[in-house]
Structures are given as structure tokens and as C-alpha cells.
Amino acid sequence: AKDKQVFGRGDASTPSEYDASFGSSTSNAGAATQIKRLDQKDLALIRSTQGVELVREGVAVNAVYVTRPGQKKFVGTLQAFSPSQKPETLAGSLPKPLTNGSVLLPEGFLDPLGFKSAHDAIGQEITVAVRKSISPTELAAKIAAGASQADLAEISANSLQTENLKIEAVLKKPVTAQPGTELYLYVSNGDALKLNEIATTGTPDFQKYPSVYVKVVDGNDPAKLEAVQSKLKSMGYVTLSVEQTQKFLLQFISILQGIVVGFAFLAVIA
């Protein structure tokens, strides 16, 4: 992270100095806030750090709707699936890595989308829609030119872009989960980035991420993991290993039943 307040360790009594990495988010207590995010310069710097094997952006995309032929539309959030995740499945399998064009469907979507069973859903396609950003300049020009409400509604409708995804597995409802993530649909990192860029191109949020996951070379060796963490901390980032992250989440959930939101959070994994 770029700010200690991610983990409740910072001083929230004074305002933070502005820089271009700030963006809107929601705090653990549900309050609207601004957080620092990682940009392309940060990612390049982290990738060049000795001992870092892989850097994966932490991406979650709010779809306008999720549906399939003949069924109603439902809101949904898609997130990049991490190879370190090990959710239980009702049907299908968990390919590693998850390929582009695939999706892991939560159990809670089965009945709403008209599937008779988890096995019935495997191999079927769902459609997700995301809204392309509309240029404020273009919109202002159309309004100045006398665009009607119908014209503006058409612009909004035409800003939707849909993608079809094949269901690879149906995920069993988790016994414990970060509140708010129970109905996340999981996609490949490539698809998550693609959908995120569709939604943010032309906005200040383009290619900026609240979190990244860092895989360490020989990260099963605690000494090597700690060495990379220390290096990243010396570069100004706040980091947690997977083990530390799990402890933090369990502690936080047990107290507040809340969801962790990081300011450019770095999870360092083996």
C-alpha cells in the first residue's frame, strides 16, 4: 500500500497530501473515502525489484448486468481469480490458470439465471455488460448542440459493451468470506484487465489499481519472502504476506464483519 491507513495504522486526524494516484473508494466502515492507488510506474518499479517473479494487478469490475438468453439481468462484480485461491466447487473444475473467456460462477447465481443444477451450468455461457466511459467533452458538446433526452438515453445505451463467458465451475457458497464478496464472479486476469480498461479508458482511473499481488522467487523460503517484503517497504510500499493477510482479514471480520479495502495494497505471495 502507499498509505498505512490501509491497515488502520496511519494518522487519520489530518488530511493527506494530494497526488495524482488518489481515487474514490469505500472504507472498511462503509464511508466514502479517497485512497492512493498503484499506477504503471509503480508496477514497473515493483517488477524490476530483485526477487520478484510475477506482479498481478488486483482488479474488480462492477458489471452493469449479468444475464444469459431468456433470463433476467442481475448486477454483479467480476474479479481476477488468483491461483492461490482454493474455493470449493459444486461442479466443474478450477483450471490454473483460468483462461480468457471463462468464468467461475457463484452458487447464488444458479437459480436466478435459470440453471436447474450446478452441473447444468457447466459449459454454458453468460453475458456480462460493462459501461464504456463517455467523454465529458463529447457529452457537453451534444448537450450544447441541443441533444434531447432521447438522444442522451441513446448515448448511454450505446455505451454498453457485452462479453460472453463460459462457465468452467460453480463455486459453493463459502462458509466464511469477506462480506460483499460472496457473489463475486471470477475471471482470468486478462479478462478482468480488459473489462476494467473498457470501463475506465479516458478517466482518471485508467490503469490504476488499489492492489497488486507479488509472487516471490522461491517464496516458500521465509528468508527470501521477508527479503523482498523488506525491499518493497524500503521503496515506500506497505506489504503483507498471504499469511499476514489472512490473519488480518480474520481479525477484521471477527470484529467488524467488514471488507478490507487497501490503498494500493501489495500482497506478497510465495
Side-chain angles (χ1 to χ4, degrees), residues 205-265:
D205 296 324
F206 183 65
Q207 293 187 339
K208 291 182 180 177
Y209 311 101
S211 63
V212 299
Y213 298 88
V214 178
K215 184 175 183 180
V216 175
V217 177
D218 296 327
N220 290 321
D221 182 335
K224 293 183 178 180
L225 190 67
E226 174 60 30
V228 173
Q229 277 192 274
S230 297
K231 178 62 177 177
L232 291 172
K233 287 177 182 178
S234 72
M235 294 159 60
Y237 300 109
V238 180
T239 72
L240 287 181
S241 68
V242 169
E243 182 179 358
Q244 292 169 328
T245 303
Q246 290 172 339
K247 288 181 180 178
F248 174 80
L249 291 177
L250 289 172
Q251 180 185 38
F252 187 83
I253 290 171
S254 67
I255 296 173
L256 295 179
Q257 287 296 298
I259 182 171
V260 170
V261 178
F263 301 2
F265 164 65

Side-chain angles (χ1 to χ4, degrees), residues 15-114:
S16 300
E17 183 178 354
Y18 166 81
D19 69 48
S21 72
F22 274 96
S24 300
S25 186
T26 303
S27 74
N28 295 331
T33 186
Q34 295 190 66
I35 62 172
K36 287 186 176 184
R37 296 165 300 172
L38 296 158
D39 57 23
Q40 294 302 302
K41 290 183 179 179
D42 290 305
L43 268 62
L45 187 60
I46 294 167
R47 287 188 174 110
S48 66
T49 301
Q50 184 176 359
V52 170
E53 180 178 339
L54 178 70
V55 176
R56 181 175 62 81
E57 300 87 348
V59 181
V61 181
N62 288 323
V64 177
Y65 64 77
V66 178
T67 190
R68 74 184 189 101
Q71 303 299 322
K72 294 180 180 179
K73 299 173 180 177
F74 300 90
V75 296
T77 299
L78 298 95
Q79 187 174 61
F81 183 66
S82 169
S84 64
Q85 291 175 268
K86 296 178 176 62
E88 290 188 72
T89 62
L90 291 176
S93 59
L94 300 176
K96 293 190 178 182
L98 188 62
T99 57
N100 291 342
S102 302
V103 63
L104 306 180
L105 188 75
E107 179 181 357
F109 271 95
L110 288 175
D111 186 60
L113 291 179

Side-chain angles (χ1 to χ4, degrees), residues 67 126-130 161-165 191 194-195 198:
T67 190
I126 62 170
T127 298
V128 299
V130 293
Q161 182 165 327
T162 60
E163 298 286 337
N164 292 330
L165 301 169
D191 279 340
K194 175 182 176 181
L195 293 170
I198 289 171

